C-alpha cells in the first residue's frame, strides 16, 4: 500500500483517466444520497474546504491492457503522458460529481469563463478528449460494462460507435435520475451561483487518494 494524499477533484483528475472495472458495483445513489450531497455543497462556506471521503485506485500500465480489446481505442492516451487508474472505492461519489459537472457545463456557452478556464478546457479535464472519430472519456465504466454506453450517450451526451446498444437497468435509471436531480437544482441558480457550485465541486471537496501498489491483485 502507498501514497495517501488529501486532494481536490481537479488535482485527482490532472492528466488522468479513470475506469470503473467490471467487478465493481454499479451506480446506486437515489434521491436521499443526492439530496445529502447537494446540501453538503450548498452549506459549504465560500473559501472553506470539506473532507469528502476516500478514493482507492490502482494504476493501469499500458503493458497490462495493450492486448485487451476493450482498451484498444484508449491506448493512445498512454503515449501522451496521461495516467490511467481503476477505481476500487469511491465510484458512487465520483460518478455523482462528474454528472453534476456535466450538468453545469451544459448550461455554459462555449465562450464563457468559469474559474479562469473556458468550457472546452473543463471538458478536457473531466469529460472527454477528442481522438479520431469518437472521443475518449476521462471517467466512466470499462467498455462492455452494462452501464458503459448508457453513461456515455445518455448522461455525458456523446456520440459513440455503438450508441444504440445500451441496456436500461435499475442502475442506468439511477444515473438518469441523478442527472435530472441536478438539472432541476442548477436551472434555478444564477450564473454566479452556478460558478460557486462548480468551484466547490472541483476545488473545495477534498478526498484522501489511496493508491494500491500495482503488484497487488
Amino acid at each position: 500500500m502507498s501514497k495517501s494524499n488529501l486532494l481536490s477533484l481537479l488535482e485527482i483528475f490532472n492528466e488522468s483517466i479513470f475506469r470503473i472495472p467490471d467487478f465493481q458495483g454499479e451506480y446506486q445513489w437515489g434521491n436521499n444520497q443526492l439530496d445529502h450531497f447537494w446540501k453538503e455543497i450548498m452549506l459549504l462556506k465560500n473559501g472553506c474546504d470539506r473532507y469528502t471521503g476516500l478514493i482507492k485506485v490502482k494504476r493501469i500500465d499500458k503493458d497490462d491492457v495493450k492486448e485487451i480489446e476493450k482498451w484498444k481505442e484508449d491506448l493512445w492516451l498512454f503515449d501522451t503522458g496521461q495516467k490511467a487508474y481503476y477505481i476500487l472505492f469511491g465510484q458512487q461519489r465520483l460518478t455523482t460529481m462528474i454528472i453534476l459537472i456535466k450538468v453545469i457545463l451544459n448550461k455554459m456557452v462555449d465562450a464563457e469563463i468559469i474559474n479562469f478556464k473556458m468550457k472546452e478546457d473543463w471538458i478536457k479535464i473531466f469529460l472527454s478528449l477528442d481522438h479520431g472519430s469518437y472521443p475518449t472519456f476521462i471517467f466512466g465504466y470499462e467498455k462492455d460494462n452494462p452501464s458503459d454506453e448508457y453513461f456515455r450517450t445518455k448522461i455525458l451526451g456523446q456520440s459513440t460507435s455503438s450508441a444504440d446498444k445500451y441496456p436500461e437497468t435499475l442502475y442506468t435509471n439511477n444515473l438518469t435520475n441523478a442527472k435530472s436531480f441536478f438539472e432541476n437544482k442548477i436551472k434555478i441558480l444564477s450564473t454566479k451561483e452556478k460558478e460557486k457550485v462548480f468551484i466547490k465541486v472541483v476545488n473545495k471537496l477534498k478526498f484522501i487518494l489511496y493508491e494500491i501498489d500495482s503488484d497487488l491483485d
Side-chain angles (χ1 to χ4, degrees):
M1 306 289 181
S2 63
K3 299 181 185 176
S4 292
N5 299 295
L6 192 62
L7 301 171
S8 69
L9 197 69
L10 181 57
E11 292 169 319
I12 290 171
F13 274 71
N14 180 37
E15 296 186 347
S16 299
I17 67 169
F18 298 89
R19 293 293 179 265
I20 301 168
D22 291 338
F23 58 80
Q24 287 293 90
E26 297 194 56
Y27 190 66
Q28 300 179 25
W29 274 24
N31 284 340
N32 287 340
Q33 293 94 335
L34 295 170
D35 189 61
H36 180 75
F37 176 68
W38 181 255
K39 287 177 179 176
E40 281 185 354
I41 296 172
M42 300 308 290
L43 292 174
L44 180 61
K45 295 180 180 179
N46 293 334
C48 295
D49 296 339
R50 180 181 179 88
Y51 171 67
T52 309
L54 172 69
I55 298 174
K56 289 184 181 180
V57 299
K58 183 176 181 180
R59 185 76 174 261
I60 304 169
D61 294 322
K62 184 178 181 180
D63 288 343
D64 295 334
V65 295
K66 65 182 180 181
E67 303 299 330
I68 300 176
E69 179 64 25
K70 59 188 173 183
W71 274 88
K72 184 178 179 181
E73 295 179 5
D74 295 343
L75 289 178
W76 69 277
L77 287 163
F78 291 95
D79 298 325
T80 67
Q82 293 278 343
K83 301 179 291 293
Y85 298 94
Y86 282 127
I87 300 172
L88 305 181
F89 185 84
Q91 69 109 329
Q92 303 289 332
R93 190 169 292 266
L94 286 179
T95 303
T96 303
M97 294 172 79
I98 292 299
I99 294 172
L100 176 53
I101 286 171
K102 172 62 177 174
V103 168
I104 295 174
L105 292 180
N106 278 352
K107 298 298 182 181
M108 293 175 58
V109 297
D110 290 341
E112 190 174 350
I113 302 294
I114 182 169
N115 201 27
F116 307 108
K117 294 183 186 292
M118 295 183 67
K119 177 179 178 177
E120 63 182 57
D121 297 321
W122 289 116
I123 289 173
K124 291 176 182 177
I125 293 171
F126 291 111
L127 301 179
S128 64
L129 293 169
D130 289 332
H131 182 72
S133 301
Y134 297 97
T136 293
F137 295 90
I138 302 299
F139 175 92
Y141 298 87
E142 273 196 301
K143 209 173 267 296
D144 301 330
N145 183 290
S147 292
D148 172 54
E149 288 294 337
Y150 192 93
F151 186 72
R152 295 178 184 224
T153 59
K154 293 298 185 179
I155 305 303
L156 299 185
Q158 301 285 344
S159 298
T160 68
S161 58
S162 53
D164 60 338
K165 296 181 180 179
Y166 58 81
E168 292 193 21
T169 66
L170 169 64
Y171 305 112
T172 59
N173 288 338
N174 288 340
L175 291 168
T176 297
N177 181 64
K179 183 179 180 183
S180 297
F181 178 92
F182 290 128
E183 286 174 339
N184 289 331
K185 296 293 185 182
I186 292 299
K187 70 181 181 182
I188 62 175
L189 300 182
S190 67
T191 299
K192 192 67 175 178
E193 288 170 332
K194 292 186 186 77
E195 183 175 11
K196 287 181 179 179
V197 170
F198 190 89
I199 291 171
K200 288 178 182 180
V201 172
V202 304
N203 282 332
K204 298 302 180 180
L205 300 182
K206 301 290 186 175
F207 293 91
I208 291 177
L209 182 66
Y210 197 90
E211 184 178 333
I212 304 297
D213 284 340
S214 59
D215 58 347
L216 290 178
D217 189 353

